[in-house]
Amino acid sequence: MSSEVEKVNCFIIGSGPAGYTAAIYASRAGLKPLMYQGLQPGGQLTITTEVENYPGYPNGIQGPEMMEDFKKQAERFGADIRWGIATSVDFSVFPRKIITEDNKTILADTVIIATGASAKWLGIASEEKFNGFGVSACAVCDGFFFKGQDVAIVGAGDTAAEEASYLSKLCRKVYMIVRRDEMRASKTMQTRVENTPNIEILYNHSTVEILGDKSVNSVKVLNNKSNEESILNVSGFFVAIGHTPNSGIFKDFLEMDENGYIKTIPGSSKTNVEGVFACGDVQDHIYRQAVTAAGSGCMAALDAERYLAAKGIH
Ligand code: NDP
């Protein structure tokens, strides 16, 4: 068992827009941040195709390419970016202690958590096959590509209702696939989707298969009551059945809401533990955009820098 110990000013966990932006700011401020990229280097954007809503890219950019640009920008200022996974933490000690998957101990004066959230998927094979080719877990990101077309969205919570509503303004028709005979979304959201003429709610339906050639052209659904299958002719299939924040390893130390999102002090990235900051989707279930994540990553680096300065550490 390795007993290697490394001491850093600033340790960043996670490498989506939030983590990389934190790395850019922290390295430019001279904090010499060390980043462990996590299970999915580049984060959720690496599983999308075109990103058209990130300011500064007038012609759009591929998600993975954009994350590569973020990484290069952080490295240009000296951020030490490594592939690696944090497996446990001890925030009861100072400096804060992080254990990595190769059994290394990182001691950090400040920790920036940017571990993101993972979209939940239905788990059917065709969903994976067409991911990025008609299948998406983010209507705000990808709805535009289906302008004037017919789409389907699965889910019945606030996200699904909100995204169905968003899609209804862009698309010709939106089928909302709801597995039970009622929705979980708030009454206001339910009323909104029920009263939107181009949204058709299919209660008691589940998704059997997503069909297509190179991209989606239809979805086979099953009426759970009558056991009848039918085909929806759609070119887009949105999955909105919830997200899971990647916050499990922090649960013994950080305050979280009932869904596991890390709580930060409003207007800051501060958690309940001094010197530990959270940014991006692991603390935001509402906006979930690359640009808002990047903004909160900047906040976390500035908060870390100010914390170290106040402590006289840096
Ligand atoms: P939720 O967990 O609230 O809802 C998930 C929905 O997906 C449920 O309706 C669930 O169905 C359905 N679902 C889960 N698994 C499957 C499956 N395998 N097949 C079909 N359907 C499935 O997630 P949300 O992302 O909607 O919301 C997360 C939290 O964020 C909530 O607290 C929500 O209120 C909040 N939120 C608030 C917003 C706002 O206030 N503006 C906007 C967005 C989210 P079932 O009901 O049958 O379990």
Side-chain angles (χ1 to χ4, degrees), residues 236-247:
F237 182 78
F238 291 86
V239 181
I241 61 171
H243 282 77
T244 310
N246 302 316
S247 61

Side-chain angles (χ1 to χ4, degrees), residues 40 44 114-119 243-246 261 280-284 288:
Q40 189 178 38
Q44 291 188 78
T115 45
S118 306
H243 282 77
T244 310
N246 302 316
Y261 287 91
D281 288 10
V282 73
Q283 53 85 56
D284 169 26
R288 295 201 291 244

Side-chain angles (χ1 to χ4, degrees), residues 112-130:
I112 294 178
I113 299 168
T115 45
S118 306
K120 290 183 189 160
W121 296 97
L122 295 172
I124 54 180
S126 48
E127 174 188 55
E128 199 175 330
K129 177 177 167 197
F130 291 114

